[in-house]
Amino acid sequence: MENWIEISFRDSIVSRDGRPFGAGQGNRMRSAGWPLPSVVAGSLRSAVGKAAGREFSAQTGQDLLELEVVGGLPFSESDRTVYYPAPQDCVVPPKPQAVLAARPQEMQSGDGCDLPHAALLPVMLSPDDAASDFKPEPAPAWWPEEKFVSWMLGEKVEFDSSFLAMPVVDARTHVYIDPKTGATEEGKLFSTTALALQYLPRHGAAANAAFSDRYHPMRLALRVRGEGWALETAARIDSLHPLGGERKLACWKTSGEKLWSCPDGISGALAKAQRVRMVLATPAIFSGGWKPGWLNDNLIGKPPGTDVELKLVGVCIKRWQAVSGWSLAEPRGPKPIRRMVPAGGVYFFGVTSGSAAALAGRWLEPVSDAPQECRDGFGLAAWGIW
């Protein structure tokens, strides 16, 4: 069984990165660029436990961990569209040229590279696209589904105001108040940052434009699967509950519609494809670091839940990101640091057996290795062709 939830925001959300903060550790609370899947999943599970009136015993905690909570993607209030992170194979040249696509390229005689596997090809621009030297410009952080699907089908994409930037960072400076005197103490300053997720800035909007032309009202979209009392409670949730740190409130409400599915154009293209792309919509955690655990030493394997066999040809990803946390369950204490492949990472495959049509049924399904990381929403994958 599954349910869909929309999250709207009253406050800016504190989603800390892993750097120390506190007395004797640092006076700046820094924010991650976007709430991690585990932050969203953990907040919903807490809300479900409280809504059900349960004591947070070991059994209750285990029941809540069995809930699969995936998504945390921007969702437009007005046009009901999901937004996806910018694919890393997108190369933006100086205007007015079209957006260019990086692809695995055969090396020429005398070329060399230090890729971690001999079977991988470097992902770069074609010789024609790379004929003129230029410094790439940053791509918009969030792509509307229509434009994202066009890119996944190998079509040309032009940027406009439907693309969105990362949220505005709400930075504040605070002072320490002595509880006995009610006065500040000199020199005891600290700062916090939060993410204003209520509205995301439009790409390329003029600074003097009207507010509605500069910002787009947003929510977050979630899909929840499970069974038993936990899913029954999630299916009727409608409450204010904190998301992230500092108890900043968000509104969690069951949606009356399915918030995403595999687009028809993608399904048709995959049915005929011999080369496919996997783009990470959320950060992924793989046992091999950059390499999914479902690939063998020859970079061949089957994505979770399918019978199609793929061979990895090239990878286009950013540097790894760290995720940790603090466990309130026994044994209490800091969680080990894990390395994530950032959202937007692109994996290029060739189909070695079976039909890629099976991948249409795995649209925005997790491809991380560990079952709990999948249930926490790490590694949602969108599929396309190249």
Side-chain angles (χ1 to χ4, degrees), residues 102-115:
R103 295 289 182 263
Q105 304 287 342
E106 294 285 349
M107 289 187 288
Q108 305 300 314
S109 177
D111 292 346
C113 62
D114 59 353
L115 292 172

Side-chain angles (χ1 to χ4, degrees), residues 326-334:
W326 188 272
S327 175
L328 295 177
E330 297 297 338
R332 297 170 66 95

Side-chain angles (χ1 to χ4, degrees), residues 73-97:
L73 298 175
F75 184 71
S76 170
E77 290 186 22
S78 54
D79 55 18
R80 314 299 288 172
T81 259
V82 173
Y83 285 73
Y84 296 80
Q88 292 305 308
D89 59 347
C90 166
V91 180
V92 186
K95 295 180 180 179
Q97 299 180 45

Side-chain angles (χ1 to χ4, degrees), residues 27-360:
N27 60 359
R28 291 186 180 181
M29 178 193 289
R30 297 175 175 86
S31 177
W34 192 258
L36 290 176
S38 52
V39 171
V40 180
S43 295
L44 176 63
R45 290 171 181 143
S46 295
V48 168
K50 291 178 181 178
R54 295 268 178 151
E55 293 185 2
F56 283 88
S57 62
Q59 184 59 53
T60 297
Q62 187 58 44
D63 291 344
L64 291 171
L65 286 174
E66 291 296 322
L67 276 181
E68 181 189 273
V69 184
V70 304
L73 298 175
F75 184 71
S76 170
E77 290 186 22
S78 54
D79 55 18
R80 314 299 288 172
T81 259
V82 173
Y83 285 73
Y84 296 80
Q88 292 305 308
D89 59 347
C90 166
V91 180
V92 186
K95 295 180 180 179
Q97 299 180 45
V99 179
L100 304 176
R103 295 289 182 263
Q105 304 287 342
E106 294 285 349
M107 289 187 288
Q108 305 300 314
S109 177
D111 292 346
C113 62
D114 59 353
L115 292 172
H117 197 286
L120 289 176
L121 297 176
V123 177
M124 50 190 179
L125 296 178
S126 68
D128 291 339
D129 290 336
S132 59
D133 191 21
F134 63 88
K135 181 179 180 180
E137 296 185 358
W142 295 103
W143 294 29
E145 183 174 76
E146 180 183 2
K147 303 289 188 179
F148 182 81
V149 168
S150 295
W151 183 259
M152 297 299 286
L153 293 175
E155 301 170 358
K156 293 291 186 181
V157 170
E158 294 184 2
F159 296 147
D160 54 33
S161 61
S162 66
F163 291 79
L164 303 178
M166 292 298 279
V168 173
V169 175
D170 181 6
R172 303 185 182 189
T173 300
H174 310 262
V175 297
Y176 174 78
I177 303 295
D178 188 324
K180 295 181 179 179
T181 64
T184 63
E185 289 197 18
E186 185 176 353
K188 289 194 175 181
L189 299 175
F190 64 97
S191 63
T192 61
T193 56
L195 303 176
L197 301 181
Q198 302 94 322
Y199 297 89
L200 292 187
R202 295 183 185 272
H203 173 73
N208 59 351
F211 185 87
S212 61
D213 294 329
R214 288 185 291 138
Y215 296 96
H216 193 60
M218 300 304 297
R219 298 180 178 182
L220 294 188
L222 286 182
R223 186 190 69 218
V224 184
R225 288 177 179 159
E227 57 186 19
W229 69 267
L231 184 66
E232 291 173 2
T233 305
R236 59 176 186 269
I237 195 164
D238 184 2
S239 64
L240 287 174
H241 186 268
L243 172 60
E246 301 297 305
R247 299 193 62 79
K248 301 291 187 179
L249 292 177
C251 179
W252 306 74
K253 186 176 180 63
T254 299
S255 178
E257 61 182 292
K258 191 173 184 177
L259 302 183
W260 67 71
S261 60
C262 183
D264 292 338
I266 294 290
S267 301
L270 288 174
K272 301 177 289 186
Q274 289 302 307
R275 299 191 301 182
V276 298
R277 270 185 293 168
M278 181 181 79
V279 177
L280 298 175
T282 59
I285 301 176
F286 297 129
S287 58
W290 63 271
K291 183 174 81 71
W294 40 271
L295 295 177
N296 62 23
D297 292 341
N298 295 319
L299 303 184
I300 298 175
K302 298 178 180 180
T306 74
D307 290 327
V308 58
E309 187 176 79
L310 306 177
K311 179 177 175 59
L312 184 63
V313 177
V315 180
C316 186
I317 58 177
K318 289 183 177 180
R319 183 174 177 170
W320 64 272
Q321 297 175 335
V323 58
S324 181
W326 188 272
S327 175
L328 295 177
E330 297 297 338
R332 297 170 66 95
K335 297 179 180 179
I337 293 177
R338 295 167 290 169
R339 295 189 176 193
M340 302 184 299
V341 179
V346 184
Y347 290 73
F348 296 87
F349 296 95
V351 179
T352 57
S353 69
S355 172
L359 299 172

